[in-house]
């Protein structure tokens, strides 16, 4: 057992401790014992071979007022029933219909952007993915409601940015932060329950995720209660919005620093799309674009760490993991391990060109987790990231603002602490497309 996890940088802590002590190390966090795992096989042992011996970690559990019994936090048979009910809503064929929404919202964002303007790319990506998830979750006809929910959830996210505090400050204590959290939750619930009631009354499947969850029925004919639908809607919103925004933000930041890679990406987009909007059918052909995303999520995994609590005694690599203790592992440190990746700190999308993915141990690359609790929004997220990347990269490139610090913050997701400030550079003159003048008037170049 080594010393406690200090309130400093968890990424450096994870990487440092495994570098010093090896693939499994016991640490103490206050009175709580945690085993940090750094070998893909040990991670597979927990997530795939023995998932029933573990439940989700304490930070997520501490946020029950927000997530309720949603997919991310529920356990056992209850979780399994919910997962079965929700799975068809995330089926590839079902989410295919969202591709045009994703592109349309991205184009709307680009209509606001002007050449030479400075913006925070992370805020822009957060706004975009928030709009997309609100729309696909709740449907176009309730756009205003979706925006209200979105705004309250944004507030929740701000509060949630410091999720670790919930380990030390219980959510029932009437602190100012907890009161703000409670107010935001109540506001969301009010709107959500109204949307649910409207959807139940109309009985119409408008193609959105919530309609699908509402219509889902178990073998015995039972569906989800309103409370359950509320929990799943909030969970999907929170799990699906900031993660995807982070993936995109880090990708833009990496591309801006690697002009040769950026040029190769532009070339692929030019050859395959020639300036038109990407569609779902294009995605399998955008091979390099996909490698860029894979590599970006290797270096900057939006879900940077995973925690579980043992509910039975277990043994990993000769170490006794007693019931009640924690296990923890970090995508950040495993995906930067030189045993699996040559020059692991370098951004090299080309490394994925061969059969690396097949050769790697299964859990040497796991941005979406694995086993039964693997991300249900995996395909949704990959489709969204690729479509947004291909739409934006054809129209703009970014020049990073000198002196602005870009620092990863390992909150519940891995976000840029101070955002990513960049100057927008229109690619219109390069691609020979019509450019926008300062006033926003379209002119032919
Ligand atoms: C790049 C984007 C994303 C990343 C990196 C990501 C990552 C993850 C990871 C690592 C887990 C497993 C957590 C654990 O084992 O404790 C997870 C679970 C989950 N994710 Fe994602 N996610 C992303 C996008 C999305 C999207 C777009 C949605 C929904 C639209 C979503 C919904 C969920 C849900 C509901 C769970 C819980 C699943 C369950 O336990 O049954 N995620 N995600």
């Amino acid at each position: 057992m080594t010393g406690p996890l200090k309130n400093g940088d968890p990424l450096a802590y994870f990487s440092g401790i495994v570098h010093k002590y090896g693939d499994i190390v016991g640490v103490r966090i206050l009175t709580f014992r945690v085993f940090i795992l750094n070998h893909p096989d040990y991670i597979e042992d927990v997530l795939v071979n023995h998932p029933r011996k573990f439940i989700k970690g304490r930070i997520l559990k501490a946020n029950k007022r927000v997530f309720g019994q949603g997919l991310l936090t529920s356990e056992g048979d209850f979780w399994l029933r919910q997962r079965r009910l929700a799975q068809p809503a995330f089926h590839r064929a079902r989410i295919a219909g969202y591709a045009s929404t994703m592109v349309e919202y991205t184009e709307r964002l680009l209509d606001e952007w002007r050449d030479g303007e400075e913006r925070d790319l992370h805020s822009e990506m957060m706004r975009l993915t928030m709009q997309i998830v609100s729309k696909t979750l709740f449907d176009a006809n309730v756009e205003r409601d979706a925006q209200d929910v979105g705004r309250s959830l944004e507030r929740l996210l701000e509060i949630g940015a410091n999720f670790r505090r919930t380990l030390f400050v219980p959510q029932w204590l009437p602190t100012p932060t907890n009161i703000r959290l409670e107010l935001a939750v109540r506001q969301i619930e009010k709107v959500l329950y109204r949307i649910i009631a409207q959807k139940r009354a109309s009985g119409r499947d408008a193609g959105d995720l919530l309609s699908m969850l509402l219509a889902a029925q178990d073998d015995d004919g039972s569906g989800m209660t309103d409370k359950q639908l509320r929990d799943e809607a909030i969970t999907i919103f929170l799990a699906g919005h900031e993660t995807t925004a982070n993936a995109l933000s880090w990708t833009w930041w990496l591309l801006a620093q690697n002009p040769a890679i950026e040029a190769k990406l532009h070339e692929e987009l030019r050859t395959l799309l020639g300036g038109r909007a990407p569609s779902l059918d294009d995605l399998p052909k955008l091979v390099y674009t996909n490698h860029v995303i894979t590599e970006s999520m290797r270096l900057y995994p939006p879900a940077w760490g995973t925690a579980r609590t043992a509910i039975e005694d277990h043994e990993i690599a000769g170490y006794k993991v007693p019931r009640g203790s924690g296990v923890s592992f970090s995508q950040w440190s495993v995906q930067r391990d030189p045993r699996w990746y040559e020059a692991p700190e370098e951004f090299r999308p080309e490394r994925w060109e061969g059969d690396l993915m097949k050769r790697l141990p299964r859990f040497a690359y796991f941005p979406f987790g694995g086993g039964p609790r693997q991300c249900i929004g995996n395909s949704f997220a990959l489709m969204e990231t690729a479509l947004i990347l291909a739409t934006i990269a054809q129209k703009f490139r970014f020049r990073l603002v000198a002196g602005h610090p870009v620092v990863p913050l390992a909150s519940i997701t891995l976000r840029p602490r101070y955002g990513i400030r960049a100057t927008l550079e229109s690619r219109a003159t390069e691609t020979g497309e019509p450019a926008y003048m300062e006033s926003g008037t379209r002119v032919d170049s």
Side-chain angles (χ1 to χ4, degrees):
M1 279 283 144
T2 94
L5 172 62
K6 296 192 188 67
N7 208 14
D9 176 7
L11 299 173
Y13 181 82
F14 261 97
S15 305
I17 207 163
V18 296
H19 188 68
K20 204 160 157 195
Y21 299 100
D23 284 336
I24 176 163
V25 46
V27 299
R28 199 174 280 286
I29 300 173
L30 302 175
T31 57
F32 187 55
R33 267 212 283 177
V34 180
F35 293 84
I36 294 181
L37 312 179
N38 195 49
H39 196 286
D41 294 350
Y42 304 164
I43 297 169
E44 184 164 9
D45 186 63
V46 171
L47 292 183
V48 180
N49 303 340
H50 299 283
R52 286 184 172 270
K53 285 190 173 178
F54 297 90
I55 56 170
K56 291 282 178 122
R58 290 154 60 116
I59 295 185
L60 277 180
K61 297 273 177 214
N63 285 282
K64 209 165 170 175
R65 177 70 186 103
V66 178
F67 291 114
Q69 287 267 73
L71 272 178
L72 198 62
T73 39
S74 56
E75 303 287 355
D77 291 343
F78 186 86
W79 163 79
L80 189 60
R81 174 181 182 269
Q82 284 303 118
R83 177 93 186 195
R84 287 208 184 114
L85 285 174
Q87 196 75 52
F90 290 91
H91 193 272
R92 216 176 281 269
R94 177 80 185 189
I95 61 171
Y98 302 145
S100 52
T101 305
M102 291 166 178
V103 172
E104 188 192 318
Y105 273 74
T106 309
E107 288 182 330
R108 266 198 218 176
L109 177 80
L110 296 187
D111 284 344
E112 293 174 25
W113 286 7
R114 296 288 170 262
D115 186 32
E117 202 179 28
E118 189 185 307
R119 289 198 182 223
D120 173 6
L121 292 181
H122 185 55
S123 305
E124 297 295 296
M125 292 303 110
M126 287 287 276
R127 195 151 62 94
L128 178 57
T129 58
M130 197 269 273
Q131 286 168 352
I132 291 172
V133 84
S134 308
K135 182 92 167 180
T136 50
L137 190 53
F138 303 118
D139 156 43
N141 301 332
V142 287
E143 194 157 352
R144 201 183 52 78
D145 284 336
Q147 278 174 13
D148 287 350
V149 177
R151 266 192 292 273
S152 306
L153 284 164
E154 283 281 274
R155 222 165 298 139
L156 262 188
L157 277 180
E158 277 165 34
I159 301 164
N162 190 4
F163 261 90
R164 270 190 302 157
R165 66 177 272 286
T166 50
L167 275 183
F168 308 105
V169 186
Q171 267 180 8
W172 50 263
L173 262 186
T175 62
T177 310
N178 280 348
I179 291 170
R180 276 196 299 138
L181 183 99
E182 182 58 32
L183 289 177
V185 171
R186 280 192 200 166
Q187 197 177 346
I188 292 165
E189 284 175 340
K190 211 171 106 195
V191 183
L192 269 182
Y193 283 130
R194 183 157 44 78
I195 296 176
I196 292 167
Q198 282 165 357
K199 282 189 184 288
R200 271 205 203 285
S202 88
R204 194 172 66 88
D205 177 356
D208 57 286
L209 286 169
L210 192 63
S211 296
M212 184 86 179
L213 296 177
L214 208 139
Q217 287 192 345
D218 223 341
D219 294 341
D220 63 4
S222 63
M224 292 187 205
T225 61
D226 286 0
K227 167 71 170 67
Q228 198 52 38
L229 287 164
R230 166 252 182 245
D231 292 352
E232 298 304 0
I234 290 187
T235 297
I236 291 168
F237 188 97
L238 288 179
H241 151 226
E242 187 172 329
T243 41
T244 315
N246 286 333
L248 285 157
S249 300
W250 292 118
T251 306
W252 295 127
W253 182 66
L254 289 163
L255 286 171
Q257 295 169 88
N258 292 277
I261 294 170
E262 189 190 52
K264 200 166 161 183
L265 173 75
H266 289 164
E267 183 51 28
E268 177 175 271
L269 297 175
R270 194 188 62 77
T271 316
L272 290 168
L273 303 175
R276 69 173 165 80
S279 71
L280 189 61
D281 293 340
D282 295 315
L283 294 187
K285 291 174 232 153
L286 293 172
V287 176
Y288 192 69
T289 309
N290 289 314
H291 291 333
V292 166
I293 295 166
T294 306
E295 178 70 346
S296 161
M297 284 205 286
R298 179 185 71 81
L299 280 171
Y300 291 89
W304 66 275
T306 310
R308 295 285 190 269
T309 302
I311 50 170
E312 281 179 40
D313 291 346
H314 188 56
E315 193 176 304
I316 303 175
Y319 278 70
K320 286 203 174 355
V321 177
R323 177 171 175 249
S325 53
V327 293
S328 216
F329 32 89
S330 165
Q331 280 89 338
W332 171 278
S333 72
V334 175
Q335 294 177 181
R336 287 169 179 248
D337 191 324
R339 284 177 293 180
W340 323 120
Y341 300 97
E342 200 189 308
E345 305 289 327
E346 282 177 27
F347 179 56
R348 283 190 193 172
E350 286 73 13
R351 72 172 83 240
W352 299 103
E353 276 170 3
D355 61 350
L356 177 64
M357 196 66 99
K358 283 201 193 106
R359 283 187 286 113
L360 285 174
R362 164 66 187 90
F363 283 86
Y365 184 81
F366 62 115
F368 293 100
R373 305 299 300 250
Q374 170 154 346
C375 179
I376 201 170
N378 186 337
S379 303
F380 184 112
L382 288 177
M383 170 171 113
E384 182 179 6
T385 315
L387 288 172
I388 293 176
L389 191 67
T391 307
I392 296 183
Q394 289 193 91
K395 302 260 161 82
F396 283 91
R397 65 149 57 101
F398 307 107
R399 218 172 339 103
L400 298 173
V401 169
H404 177 80
V406 177
V407 182
L409 172 69
S411 175
I412 201 141
T413 67
L414 188 68
R415 49 158 75 168
R417 182 188 287 257
Y418 309 109
I420 299 178
R421 294 215 66 86
T423 307
L424 315 181
E425 248 177 37
S426 166
R427 297 191 57 227
T429 46
E430 265 173 71
T431 53
E433 279 194 12
Y436 286 92
M437 282 171 62
E438 192 86 342
S439 64
T441 327
R442 209 173 172 126
V443 288
D444 286 318
S445 52

